[in-house]
Amino acid sequence: MPTERRVAELAADGLSDQDIAEATHICVRTVEANLCRVCRKVGARSGVEHGRRMDQRPPSDAAP
């Protein structure tokens, strides 16, 4: 989902849930729900682990 990806990218950049909510015009609870789903999908047990995995991701604008 595009929203999940955007929220995950902002979280990996170190933004707080509140900052992400303001940047994406969604509520904090929606940010938390999106991060929960993303962590479950990538098998991360915590936000820190998710951030490490996002740091290892290829740039989103890279050609496959």
Side-chain angles (χ1 to χ4, degrees), residues 10-64:
L10 292 172
D13 288 342
L15 273 69
S16 69
D17 290 356
Q18 181 65 44
D19 291 337
I20 295 168
E22 291 172 9
T24 57
H25 307 289
I26 58 178
C27 72
V28 174
R29 300 249 344 213
T30 303
V31 170
E32 293 167 350
N34 276 278
L35 288 175
C36 230
R37 280 192 300 275
V38 169
C39 285
R40 208 174 13 222
K41 286 179 182 180
V42 299
R45 291 181 297 256
S46 70
V48 172
E49 184 177 341
H50 170 260
R52 288 187 188 129
R53 289 174 187 240
M54 289 296 289
D55 284 342
Q56 297 169 357
R57 73 190 187 281
S60 58
D61 58 353

